[in-house]
Coordinates of all heavy atoms in Angstrom, one line a residue:
K1 N 19.6 -52.6 11.5 CA 18.5 -52.0 10.7 C 17.4 -51.6 11.7 O 17.0 -52.3 12.6 CB 17.9 -53.1 9.8 CG 16.8 -52.6 8.9 CD 16.4 -53.6 7.9 CE 15.4 -53.1 6.9 NZ 15.0 -54.0 6.0
W2 N 16.9 -50.4 11.5 CA 15.9 -49.8 12.4 C 14.5 -50.2 11.9 O 14.2 -50.3 10.7 CB 16.0 -48.3 12.4 CG 17.2 -47.7 13.0 CD1 18.4 -47.5 12.4 CD2 17.4 -47.5 14.4 NE1 19.3 -47.0 13.3 CE2 18.7 -47.0 14.5 CE3 16.6 -47.6 15.5 CZ2 19.3 -46.7 15.7 CZ3 17.2 -47.2 16.7 CH2 18.5 -46.8 16.8
G3 N 13.6 -50.4 12.9 CA 12.2 -50.7 12.5 C 11.3 -50.8 13.7 O 11.8 -50.9 14.9
L4 N 10.1 -51.0 13.5 CA 9.1 -51.1 14.6 C 9.2 -52.5 15.3 O 9.2 -53.5 14.6 CB 7.7 -50.9 14.1 CG 6.5 -51.1 15.1 CD1 6.6 -49.9 16.1 CD2 5.2 -51.1 14.3
L5 N 9.5 -52.5 16.6 CA 9.5 -53.8 17.3 C 8.2 -54.2 17.7 O 7.8 -55.4 17.6 CB 10.4 -53.6 18.5 CG 11.9 -53.4 18.3 CD1 12.6 -53.2 19.6 CD2 12.5 -54.6 17.6
Q6 N 7.3 -53.3 18.2 CA 6.0 -53.7 18.7 C 5.1 -52.5 18.7 O 5.5 -51.4 19.1 CB 6.1 -54.3 20.1 CG 4.8 -54.8 20.6 CD 4.3 -56.0 19.9 OE1 5.1 -56.8 19.4 NE2 3.0 -56.1 19.7
D7 N 3.9 -52.6 18.3 CA 2.9 -51.6 18.4 C 2.3 -51.6 19.8 O 1.8 -52.6 20.2 CB 1.8 -51.8 17.3 CG 0.7 -50.8 17.3 OD1 0.7 -49.9 18.2 OD2 -0.2 -50.9 16.5
L8 N 2.3 -50.5 20.5 CA 1.8 -50.4 21.8 C 0.3 -49.9 21.8 O 0.0 -48.9 22.4 CB 2.6 -49.5 22.7 CG 4.1 -49.9 22.8 CD1 4.9 -48.9 23.6 CD2 4.2 -51.3 23.5
G9 N -0.5 -50.6 21.0 CA -1.8 -50.1 20.7 C -2.8 -50.1 21.9 O -3.9 -49.6 21.8
E10 N -2.4 -50.5 23.1 CA -3.2 -50.5 24.2 C -3.5 -49.1 24.8 O -4.4 -48.9 25.6 CB -2.7 -51.4 25.3 CG -2.6 -52.9 25.0 CD -4.0 -53.5 25.0 OE1 -4.8 -53.1 25.8 OE2 -4.2 -54.4 24.2
H11 N -2.7 -48.2 24.5 CA -2.9 -46.8 25.0 C -4.0 -46.2 24.1 O -4.0 -46.3 22.9 CB -1.6 -46.0 24.9 CG -0.7 -46.2 26.0 ND1 -0.8 -45.6 27.2 CD2 0.4 -47.0 26.1 CE1 0.1 -46.0 28.0 NE2 0.9 -46.8 27.4
E12 N -4.9 -45.4 24.8 CA -6.0 -44.7 24.0 C -5.4 -43.5 23.4 O -6.1 -43.0 22.5 CB -7.1 -44.4 25.0 CG -7.8 -45.6 25.5 CD -8.9 -45.3 26.5 OE1 -9.3 -44.1 26.6 OE2 -9.3 -46.2 27.3
S13 N -4.3 -43.0 23.8 CA -3.6 -41.9 23.2 C -2.1 -42.1 23.1 O -1.7 -43.2 23.3 CB -3.9 -40.6 24.0 OG -3.4 -40.7 25.3
T14 N -1.4 -41.1 22.8 CA 0.0 -41.2 22.6 C 0.8 -41.7 23.9 O 0.5 -41.2 25.0 CB 0.6 -39.9 22.2 OG1 -0.1 -39.4 21.1 CG2 2.1 -40.0 21.8
A15 N 1.7 -42.6 23.7 CA 2.6 -43.0 24.8 C 3.7 -41.9 24.9 O 4.4 -41.6 23.9 CB 3.3 -44.3 24.6
Q16 N 3.8 -41.2 26.0 CA 4.7 -40.1 26.1 C 6.1 -40.5 26.6 O 7.1 -39.8 26.4 CB 4.2 -39.1 27.2 CG 2.9 -38.5 26.7 CD 3.1 -37.5 25.6 OE1 3.9 -36.6 25.7 NE2 2.4 -37.7 24.5
S17 N 6.2 -41.6 27.3 CA 7.5 -42.1 27.9 C 7.5 -43.6 27.9 O 6.5 -44.3 28.2 CB 7.6 -41.5 29.3 OG 8.9 -41.8 29.9
V18 N 8.7 -44.1 27.7 CA 8.9 -45.6 27.6 C 10.2 -45.9 28.3 O 11.2 -45.2 28.1 CB 9.0 -46.1 26.2 CG1 9.2 -47.6 26.1 CG2 7.7 -45.7 25.4
A19 N 10.3 -47.0 29.1 CA 11.5 -47.4 29.7 C 11.6 -48.9 29.8 O 10.6 -49.6 30.1 CB 11.6 -46.8 31.2
F20 N 12.8 -49.5 29.5 CA 13.0 -50.9 29.7 C 13.5 -51.2 31.1 O 14.2 -50.4 31.7 CB 14.1 -51.4 28.7 CG 13.6 -51.6 27.3 CD1 13.6 -50.6 26.4 CD2 13.2 -52.9 27.0 CE1 13.2 -50.9 25.1 CE2 12.8 -53.2 25.7 CZ 12.7 -52.1 24.7
S21 N 13.1 -52.4 31.6 CA 13.6 -52.8 32.9 C 15.0 -53.1 32.8 O 15.5 -53.4 31.7 CB 12.8 -54.0 33.4 OG 12.9 -55.1 32.5
P22 N 15.8 -53.1 33.9 CA 17.2 -53.5 33.8 C 17.5 -54.8 33.1 O 18.5 -54.9 32.5 CB 17.7 -53.5 35.3 CG 16.7 -52.5 36.0 CD 15.4 -52.8 35.2
D23 N 16.6 -55.8 33.3 CA 16.9 -57.1 32.7 C 16.3 -57.2 31.3 O 16.5 -58.2 30.6 CB 16.3 -58.2 33.5 CG 14.8 -58.2 33.6 OD1 14.1 -57.3 33.0 OD2 14.2 -59.0 34.4
G24 N 15.7 -56.1 30.8 CA 15.2 -56.1 29.4 C 13.9 -57.0 29.2 O 13.4 -57.1 28.0
Q25 N 13.3 -57.5 30.2 CA 12.2 -58.4 30.1 C 10.8 -57.7 30.1 O 9.8 -58.2 29.8 CB 12.2 -59.5 31.2 CG 13.3 -60.4 31.0 CD 13.3 -61.3 29.8 OE1 12.3 -61.9 29.5 NE2 14.3 -61.2 28.9
R26 N 10.9 -56.4 30.7 CA 9.6 -55.7 30.8 C 9.9 -54.2 30.3 O 11.0 -53.7 30.2 CB 9.2 -55.6 32.2 CG 8.7 -57.0 32.7 CD 8.6 -57.0 34.2 NE 10.0 -57.0 34.8 CZ 10.3 -56.3 35.9 NH1 9.4 -55.7 36.6 NH2 11.6 -56.3 36.3
V27 N 8.8 -53.6 29.9 CA 8.7 -52.2 29.4 C 7.6 -51.6 30.1 O 6.5 -52.1 30.3 CB 8.5 -52.1 27.9 CG1 8.3 -50.7 27.5 CG2 9.7 -52.7 27.2
V28 N 7.8 -50.3 30.6 CA 6.7 -49.5 31.2 C 6.5 -48.4 30.2 O 7.5 -47.8 29.7 CB 7.0 -49.1 32.6 CG1 8.2 -48.2 32.7 CG2 5.8 -48.4 33.3
T29 N 5.2 -48.1 30.0 CA 4.9 -46.9 29.1 C 3.9 -46.0 29.9 O 3.1 -46.5 30.7 CB 4.2 -47.4 27.8 OG1 3.0 -48.2 28.2 CG2 5.1 -48.3 27.0
G30 N 4.1 -44.7 29.6 CA 3.2 -43.7 30.2 C 2.6 -42.8 29.1 O 3.4 -42.4 28.2
G31 N 1.4 -42.5 29.2 CA 0.8 -41.6 28.2 C -0.2 -40.7 28.8 O -0.2 -40.4 30.0
Y32 N -1.1 -40.1 28.0 CA -2.1 -39.2 28.5 C -3.1 -39.9 29.3 O -3.8 -39.3 30.0 CB -2.7 -38.5 27.3 CG -1.9 -37.4 26.7 CD1 -1.4 -37.6 25.4 CD2 -1.5 -36.3 27.4 CE1 -0.6 -36.6 24.8 CE2 -0.7 -35.3 26.8 CZ -0.2 -35.5 25.5 OH 0.6 -34.5 25.0
D33 N -3.3 -41.2 29.1 CA -4.3 -41.9 29.7 C -3.9 -42.8 30.9 O -4.5 -42.7 32.0 CB -5.1 -42.8 28.7 CG -4.2 -43.8 27.9 OD1 -2.9 -43.6 28.0 OD2 -4.7 -44.7 27.3
K34 N -2.9 -43.6 30.8 CA -2.5 -44.5 31.8 C -1.1 -44.9 31.8 O -0.3 -44.5 30.9 CB -3.3 -45.8 31.6 CG -4.8 -45.7 31.8 CD -5.5 -47.0 31.6 CE -7.0 -46.7 31.8 NZ -7.8 -48.0 31.8
V35 N -0.7 -45.7 32.8 CA 0.7 -46.3 32.9 C 0.4 -47.8 32.7 O -0.4 -48.4 33.3 CB 1.3 -46.0 34.2 CG1 2.7 -46.7 34.3 CG2 1.5 -44.5 34.4
K36 N 1.3 -48.4 31.8 CA 1.1 -49.8 31.5 C 2.4 -50.6 31.6 O 3.5 -50.0 31.2 CB 0.5 -50.0 30.1 CG -0.9 -49.4 30.0 CD -1.5 -49.6 28.7 CE -2.9 -49.0 28.6 NZ -4.0 -49.8 29.1
L37 N 2.4 -51.8 32.0 CA 3.6 -52.7 32.1 C 3.5 -53.8 31.1 O 2.4 -54.5 31.1 CB 3.7 -53.2 33.6 CG 4.9 -54.0 33.9 CD1 6.2 -53.2 33.8 CD2 4.7 -54.6 35.3
W38 N 4.5 -54.0 30.4 CA 4.5 -55.0 29.3 C 5.6 -56.0 29.5 O 6.7 -55.7 30.1 CB 4.8 -54.3 28.0 CG 3.9 -53.1 27.6 CD1 4.1 -51.8 28.1 CD2 2.8 -53.1 26.8 NE1 3.1 -51.1 27.6 CE2 2.3 -51.8 26.8 CE3 2.2 -54.1 26.1 CZ2 1.2 -51.5 26.0 CZ3 1.0 -53.8 25.3 CH2 0.5 -52.5 25.3
F39 N 5.4 -57.2 29.0 CA 6.4 -58.3 28.9 C 7.0 -58.2 27.5 O 6.2 -58.3 26.5 CB 5.8 -59.7 29.2 CG 6.8 -60.8 29.0 CD1 7.9 -60.9 29.9 CD2 6.6 -61.7 28.1 CE1 8.8 -61.9 29.7 CE2 7.5 -62.8 27.9 CZ 8.6 -62.9 28.7
T40 N 8.3 -58.2 27.4 CA 8.9 -58.1 26.0 C 9.0 -59.4 25.3 O 9.1 -59.4 24.1 CB 10.3 -57.4 26.1 OG1 11.1 -58.3 26.8 CG2 10.2 -56.1 26.8
G41 N 8.9 -60.5 26.0 CA 9.1 -61.8 25.3 C 10.5 -62.2 25.0 O 10.7 -63.2 24.4
G42 N 11.5 -61.4 25.5 CA 12.8 -61.7 25.2 C 13.1 -61.7 23.7 O 12.7 -60.7 23.0
S43 N 13.7 -62.7 23.2 CA 14.0 -62.8 21.8 C 12.8 -63.2 21.0 O 12.9 -63.2 19.7 CB 15.2 -63.7 21.5 OG 14.9 -65.0 22.0
D44 N 11.8 -63.7 21.6 CA 10.6 -64.2 20.9 C 9.5 -63.1 20.9 O 8.7 -63.0 21.9 CB 10.0 -65.5 21.6 CG 8.9 -66.1 20.9 OD1 8.3 -65.5 19.9 OD2 8.5 -67.2 21.3
R45 N 9.4 -62.3 19.9 CA 8.5 -61.2 19.8 C 7.0 -61.6 19.9 O 6.1 -60.9 20.2 CB 8.7 -60.4 18.6 CG 10.0 -59.6 18.6 CD 10.0 -58.6 17.5 NE 11.4 -58.3 17.3 CZ 11.9 -57.7 16.2 NH1 11.0 -57.5 15.2 NH2 13.1 -57.4 16.0
S46 N 6.7 -62.9 19.6 CA 5.3 -63.4 19.6 C 4.8 -63.4 21.0 O 3.6 -63.5 21.2 CB 5.2 -64.7 18.9 OG 5.8 -65.7 19.7
K47 N 5.7 -63.4 22.0 CA 5.2 -63.5 23.4 C 5.0 -62.1 24.1 O 4.7 -62.0 25.2 CB 6.3 -64.2 24.3 CG 6.4 -65.7 23.9 CD 7.3 -66.4 24.7 CE 7.4 -67.9 24.3 NZ 8.4 -68.6 25.2
W48 N 5.3 -61.0 23.3 CA 5.1 -59.7 23.8 C 3.6 -59.5 24.2 O 2.7 -60.0 23.6 CB 5.4 -58.7 22.7 CG 5.2 -57.2 23.1 CD1 4.1 -56.6 23.3 CD2 6.3 -56.3 23.4 NE1 4.4 -55.3 23.7 CE2 5.7 -55.1 23.7 CE3 7.7 -56.4 23.3 CZ2 6.5 -54.0 24.1 CZ3 8.4 -55.3 23.6 CH2 7.8 -54.1 24.0
G49 N 3.4 -58.9 25.4 CA 2.0 -58.6 25.8 C 1.9 -57.8 27.0 O 2.9 -57.5 27.7
L50 N 0.7 -57.3 27.2 CA 0.4 -56.4 28.4 C 0.4 -57.3 29.7 O -0.3 -58.3 29.7 CB -0.9 -55.7 28.2 CG -1.4 -54.8 29.3 CD1 -0.4 -53.6 29.3 CD2 -2.8 -54.3 29.0
L51 N 1.2 -56.9 30.6 CA 1.2 -57.6 31.9 C 0.2 -57.0 32.9 O -0.5 -57.7 33.5 CB 2.6 -57.5 32.6 CG 3.7 -58.4 32.0 CD1 5.0 -58.1 32.7 CD2 3.3 -59.9 32.3
Q52 N 0.2 -55.7 32.9 CA -0.7 -55.0 33.9 C -0.9 -53.6 33.5 O 0.0 -52.9 33.1 CB 0.0 -55.1 35.3 CG -0.9 -54.6 36.4 CD -0.2 -54.8 37.8 OE1 0.9 -55.3 37.9 NE2 -0.9 -54.4 38.8
D53 N -2.2 -53.1 33.7 CA -2.5 -51.7 33.6 C -2.3 -51.2 35.0 O -3.0 -51.6 35.9 CB -4.0 -51.6 33.2 CG -4.4 -50.2 32.9 OD1 -3.9 -49.3 33.6 OD2 -5.3 -50.0 32.1
L54 N -1.4 -50.2 35.1 CA -1.0 -49.7 36.4 C -1.9 -48.5 36.9 O -1.6 -48.0 37.9 CB 0.5 -49.3 36.5 CG 1.5 -50.5 36.2 CD1 2.9 -50.0 36.2 CD2 1.3 -51.6 37.2
G55 N -2.8 -48.2 36.1 CA -3.8 -47.1 36.5 C -3.6 -45.8 35.8 O -2.7 -45.6 35.0
E56 N -4.4 -44.9 36.2 CA -4.5 -43.6 35.6 C -3.8 -42.5 36.5 O -3.7 -42.7 37.7 CB -5.9 -43.2 35.4 CG -6.7 -44.1 34.4 CD -8.1 -43.6 34.2 OE1 -8.5 -42.6 34.7 OE2 -8.8 -44.4 33.5
H57 N -3.3 -41.5 35.8 CA -2.8 -40.3 36.5 C -3.9 -39.2 36.4 O -4.8 -39.3 35.5 CB -1.6 -39.8 35.8 CG -0.3 -40.3 36.3 ND1 0.7 -39.4 36.8 CD2 0.2 -41.5 36.5 CE1 1.7 -40.1 37.2 NE2 1.4 -41.4 37.1
E58 N -3.8 -38.2 37.2 CA -4.7 -37.1 37.2 C -4.5 -36.4 35.9 O -5.5 -35.9 35.3 CB -4.3 -36.1 38.4 CG -5.2 -34.9 38.4 CD -4.7 -34.0 39.6 OE1 -4.8 -34.4 40.7 OE2 -4.2 -32.9 39.3
N59 N -3.3 -36.3 35.4 CA -2.9 -35.6 34.1 C -1.9 -36.5 33.4 O -1.6 -37.6 33.8 CB -2.3 -34.2 34.4 CG -3.4 -33.2 34.9 OD1 -4.4 -33.0 34.2 ND2 -3.1 -32.7 36.1
A60 N -1.4 -36.0 32.3 CA -0.5 -36.8 31.4 C 0.7 -37.2 32.2 O 1.3 -36.5 33.0 CB -0.1 -35.9 30.2
V61 N 1.2 -38.4 31.9 CA 2.4 -39.0 32.4 C 3.5 -38.5 31.5 O 3.5 -38.7 30.3 CB 2.4 -40.5 32.4 CG1 3.7 -41.1 32.9 CG2 1.2 -41.0 33.3
R62 N 4.5 -37.9 32.1 CA 5.6 -37.3 31.3 C 6.9 -38.2 31.4 O 7.8 -38.1 30.5 CB 5.9 -35.9 31.7 CG 4.8 -35.0 31.5 CD 4.6 -34.8 30.0 NE 3.5 -33.8 29.7 CZ 2.9 -33.7 28.6 NH1 3.2 -34.5 27.6 NH2 2.0 -32.8 28.4
S63 N 7.0 -39.0 32.4 CA 8.2 -39.8 32.5 C 7.9 -41.1 33.3 O 7.1 -41.1 34.2 CB 9.4 -39.0 33.2 OG 9.0 -38.6 34.5
V64 N 8.6 -42.1 32.9 CA 8.5 -43.4 33.6 C 9.9 -44.0 33.8 O 10.8 -43.7 33.0 CB 7.6 -44.4 32.9 CG1 6.2 -44.0 32.8 CG2 8.1 -44.7 31.5
A65 N 10.2 -44.7 34.8 CA 11.5 -45.4 35.0 C 11.3 -46.6 36.0 O 10.4 -46.6 36.8 CB 12.4 -44.3 35.7
F66 N 12.2 -47.5 35.8 CA 12.4 -48.6 36.7 C 13.4 -48.3 37.8 O 14.4 -47.6 37.5 CB 12.8 -49.9 36.0 CG 11.7 -50.6 35.3 CD1 11.4 -50.3 34.0 CD2 10.9 -51.6 35.9 CE1 10.4 -51.0 33.3 CE2 9.9 -52.2 35.3 CZ 9.7 -52.0 33.9
S67 N 13.2 -48.9 39.0 CA 14.3 -48.8 40.0 C 15.5 -49.6 39.5 O 15.3 -50.5 38.6 CB 13.8 -49.3 41.3 OG 13.4 -50.7 41.2
P68 N 16.7 -49.4 40.0 CA 17.8 -50.2 39.6 C 17.7 -51.7 39.7 O 18.2 -52.4 38.8 CB 19.0 -49.7 40.5 CG 18.5 -48.3 40.9 CD 17.0 -48.4 41.0
D69 N 16.9 -52.2 40.7 CA 16.7 -53.6 40.8 C 15.5 -54.1 39.9 O 15.2 -55.3 39.9 CB 16.5 -54.1 42.2 CG 15.3 -53.5 42.9 OD1 14.5 -52.8 42.2 OD2 15.1 -53.8 44.1
G70 N 14.8 -53.2 39.2 CA 13.7 -53.6 38.4 C 12.4 -54.0 39.1 O 11.5 -54.4 38.5
Q71 N 12.4 -53.8 40.4 CA 11.2 -54.2 41.2 C 10.1 -53.1 41.3 O 9.0 -53.4 41.7 CB 11.6 -54.7 42.6 CG 12.5 -55.9 42.5 CD 11.9 -57.1 41.8 OE1 10.8 -57.5 42.2 NE2 12.5 -57.6 40.8
R72 N 10.5 -51.9 41.1 CA 9.5 -50.8 41.2 C 9.5 -49.9 40.0 O 10.5 -49.8 39.3 CB 9.9 -49.9 42.4 CG 9.8 -50.7 43.7 CD 10.2 -49.8 44.9 NE 10.2 -50.6 46.1 CZ 11.1 -51.4 46.6 NH1 12.2 -51.6 45.9 NH2 11.0 -52.1 47.7
V73 N 8.4 -49.2 39.8 CA 8.3 -48.3 38.7 C 7.9 -46.9 39.3 O 7.1 -46.9 40.2 CB 7.1 -48.7 37.7 CG1 6.8 -47.6 36.8 CG2 7.5 -50.0 37.0
V74 N 8.5 -45.9 38.8 CA 8.2 -44.5 39.3 C 7.7 -43.8 38.0 O 8.2 -44.0 36.9 CB 9.4 -43.8 40.0 CG1 10.5 -43.6 39.0 CG2 8.9 -42.5 40.6
T75 N 6.7 -42.9 38.3 CA 6.1 -42.1 37.2 C 6.1 -40.6 37.6 O 6.0 -40.3 38.8 CB 4.7 -42.5 36.8 OG1 3.8 -42.3 37.9 CG2 4.6 -44.0 36.4
G76 N 6.2 -39.8 36.6 CA 6.1 -38.3 36.9 C 5.2 -37.6 35.8 O 5.1 -38.1 34.7
G77 N 4.6 -36.6 36.3 CA 3.8 -35.8 35.3 C 3.3 -34.6 36.0 O 3.7 -34.2 37.1
Y78 N 2.3 -33.9 35.4 CA 1.7 -32.7 36.0 C 0.7 -33.1 37.0 O -0.2 -33.9 36.7 CB 1.1 -31.9 34.9 CG 2.0 -31.4 33.8 CD1 2.0 -31.9 32.6 CD2 3.1 -30.5 34.2 CE1 2.9 -31.5 31.6 CE2 4.0 -30.1 33.3 CZ 3.9 -30.6 32.0 OH 4.8 -30.2 31.0
C79 N 0.9 -32.6 38.2 CA 0.1 -33.1 39.3 C -0.2 -32.0 40.3 O 0.8 -31.3 40.7 CB 0.8 -34.3 40.0 SG 0.0 -35.0 41.4
S80 N -1.4 -31.9 40.8 CA -1.7 -30.9 41.8 C -1.5 -31.5 43.2 O -1.6 -30.8 44.2 CB -3.1 -30.4 41.7 OG -4.0 -31.5 41.9
E81 N -1.2 -32.8 43.3 CA -1.0 -33.4 44.6 C 0.4 -33.4 45.2 O 0.6 -33.8 46.3 CB -1.4 -34.9 44.5 CG -2.8 -35.1 43.9 CD -3.9 -34.9 45.0 OE1 -3.7 -35.2 46.1 OE2 -4.9 -34.3 44.6
G82 N 1.4 -32.8 44.5 CA 2.7 -32.8 44.9 C 3.4 -34.2 44.6 O 3.1 -34.8 43.6
I83 N 4.3 -34.6 45.5 CA 5.0 -35.9 45.2 C 4.1 -37.0 45.6 O 3.4 -37.0 46.6 CB 6.3 -35.9 46.1 CG1 7.3 -34.8 45.6 CG2 7.0 -37.3 45.9 CD1 8.5 -34.7 46.4
G84 N 4.1 -38.1 44.7 CA 3.3 -39.3 45.0 C 2.5 -39.6 43.7 O 2.7 -39.0 42.7
R85 N 1.7 -40.6 43.8 CA 0.8 -41.0 42.7 C -0.3 -40.0 42.5 O -1.0 -39.7 43.4 CB 0.3 -42.4 43.0 CG -0.4 -43.0 41.8 CD -0.8 -44.4 42.1 NE -1.3 -45.0 40.8 CZ -2.5 -44.9 40.4 NH1 -3.3 -44.1 41.0 NH2 -2.9 -45.5 39.3
C86 N -0.4 -39.5 41.3 CA -1.4 -38.5 41.0 C -2.6 -39.1 40.2 O -2.3 -40.0 39.4 CB -0.8 -37.4 40.2 SG 0.5 -36.6 41.1

């Protein structure tokens, strides 16, 4: 059955991209305002919560992803700085 798992209300605007970590324990979200890292709580949804605000981009974040080992997060979006954190 499909349904809402969790409201990501911490974003001031729309979350544009969402990715689960390889172990399923964390989620990274990117939106028009910021990039945020969440703990999923595993099977206990009551433990879901914001782990860290990873900061702002110059412009909207269009994509987020975890590295294969789950230790790093990469983000992409419109940026005048070229490759790197905008």
Side-chain angles (χ1 to χ4, degrees):
K1 184 175 181 179
W2 292 92
L4 179 66
L5 291 177
Q6 185 66 36
D7 181 358
L8 302 177
E10 293 287 328
H11 280 276
E12 293 176 16
S13 63
T14 307
Q16 297 290 306
S17 185
V18 177
F20 277 90
S21 63
D23 65 3
Q25 294 296 305
R26 291 165 293 140
V27 170
V28 63
T29 58
Y32 287 113
D33 54 347
K34 296 181 179 187
V35 177
K36 296 180 183 272
L37 184 65
W38 306 83
F39 176 65
T40 65
S43 61
D44 185 353
R45 290 189 200 162
S46 69
K47 293 183 180 179
W48 183 285
L50 182 65
L51 284 174
Q52 188 174 0
D53 185 330
L54 299 177
E56 297 181 5
H57 265 238
E58 178 182 297
N59 290 301
V61 178
R62 296 294 183 196
S63 61
V64 294
F66 279 93
S67 61
D69 66 3
Q71 298 300 306
R72 294 177 184 84
V73 169
V74 65
T75 63
Y78 298 112
C79 180
S80 63
E81 303 284 322
I83 296 174
R85 188 171 188 280
C86 303

